[in-house]
Amino acid sequence: MKRSSGARIGATLAVSALSLALITGCSDEGSDDAKESGSGSSAPAAKTYTAAELQKLILAKGDLDGYEVEKTLGAPETKDEVTTDDEKCRPLAFAMSAQAPGDAKAETTVTLTQEKKAPTDSASKSLEDLAEGEFEDTMADAMNVSVTMVGLSSYEGDGAAETFKSVSDAVKGCSGGFTVTADGEKQKLTKVTAEKGSGTGDESVAFASEGEMDEEMGKGTVHAEVVRHGNTIATYYTINLGALMTQKPYTIDGTVVTAQAKKIK
């Protein structure tokens, strides 16, 4: 990989959560069968929350050791800014761009980033002192953290159940991929693959999607999960740019999913 690629990816991480959402890929570890599961525990009360209530329920600073919690930046301001060439696939695009996947009464979102461990010896050198191989390794190591966008959205009536079904149906119906347009930029996703859900909440579905990053890096891998808790939908979208740079597999950040599920209960 050339140095320009590492710099470009670093800028993507710093500037736009939406850009991360459009750099997508699938995991070879997922089954071809859609996997949905419930926690088996008693369901939470089917309450429709206000935006203020959701902000108290979503993960916040101090809730999870080893993570920084920040406002999600760079996401579309309205759902009209995110379109797909196949309408049934649109809920998946929403789940990957910090938007409620359905017609929600209220919604909120945050981004959790793993705190980086102490740098390696090569990472402590100036970039000018690094050999080409060291530069690549240093860039990958610096970005080898999970960044997860978490969204909570609340629905009236059967809205949450219908929204969850639209996501589950899209995972199955959009397996051949689809094209997302956001901010005037198009991104072709070539495959959507069902993965094992966390089993939190009343029902959950996880998926990964495939798309080209650039000519040098080829395809990448990102993961998402959607969970229904009564009338509330939680969405999770995890990206690890270090893993993408080195073509190493990674998964949805289960630590974040578990912590958020506990806070909703």
Side-chain angles (χ1 to χ4, degrees):
M1 182 184 303
K2 298 179 181 179
R3 294 192 179 195
S4 59
S5 295
R8 184 165 59 252
I9 294 170
T12 298
L13 178 61
V15 172
S16 173
L18 178 59
S19 295
L20 302 185
L22 298 182
I23 301 175
T24 56
C26 76
S27 170
D28 292 332
E29 299 175 350
S31 166
D32 290 335
D33 297 323
K35 300 173 182 177
E36 299 171 19
S37 58
S39 64
S41 60
S42 59
K47 176 178 172 59
T48 299
Y49 294 107
T50 65
E53 289 173 323
L54 287 179
Q55 288 169 8
K56 293 179 180 179
L57 287 174
I58 202 164
L59 289 171
K61 183 177 181 180
D63 285 341
L64 190 57
D65 291 339
Y67 288 80
E68 295 181 3
V69 183
E70 301 173 304
K71 179 181 178 180
T72 297
L73 301 176
E77 292 184 4
T78 69
K79 298 177 78 171
D80 291 340
E81 297 177 34
V82 180
T83 62
T84 59
D85 62 344
D86 190 335
E87 186 65 21
K88 71 175 180 291
C89 303
R90 207 171 176 208
L92 304 185
F94 290 147
M96 294 189 292
S97 58
Q99 294 279 350
D103 187 12
K105 178 181 178 181
E107 61 183 290
T108 190
T109 181
V110 295
T111 297
L112 283 88
T113 304
Q114 280 183 317
E115 293 179 354
K116 185 62 183 172
K117 296 179 180 180
T120 61
D121 291 339
S122 61
S124 64
K125 298 179 182 179
S126 67
L127 294 180
E128 291 77 11
D129 294 335
L130 296 176
E132 183 68 20
E134 285 184 313
F135 179 88
E136 296 168 5
D137 292 343
T138 298
M139 290 295 293
D141 181 66
M143 294 186 225
N144 187 28
V145 294
S146 290
V147 179
T148 303
M149 289 191 293
V150 180
L152 293 183
S153 52
S154 189
Y155 302 78
E156 296 178 318
D158 296 328
E162 292 172 354
T163 295
F164 181 86
K165 185 177 186 303
S166 73
V167 174
S168 179
D169 289 347
V171 171
K172 300 171 186 175
C174 302
S175 60
F178 58 95
T179 298
V180 181
T181 301
D183 235 5
E185 297 290 333
K186 288 187 177 181
Q187 174 71 31
K188 174 63 178 177
L189 310 182
T190 57
K191 186 188 295 184
V192 174
T193 305
E195 297 191 306
K196 183 177 176 61
S198 63
T200 57
D202 298 319
E203 48 190 348
S204 62
V205 61
F207 66 93
S209 53
E210 179 178 284
E212 295 289 338
M213 292 186 292
D214 62 27
E215 293 181 358
E216 295 176 4
M217 295 184 66
K219 296 179 181 180
T221 301
V222 295
H223 305 267
E225 181 167 357
V226 176
V227 182
R228 183 177 69 83
H229 300 265
N231 282 356
T232 300
I233 294 288
T235 62
Y236 306 92
Y237 172 74
T238 297
I239 189 167
N240 184 315
L241 286 177
L244 289 173
M245 290 177 67
T246 55
Q247 297 293 305
K248 293 180 179 179
Y250 72 98
T251 62
I252 195 80
D253 194 329
T255 300
V256 173
V257 175
T258 299
Q260 181 61 79
K262 288 181 179 178
K263 190 168 182 179
I264 291 176
K265 290 181 178 179

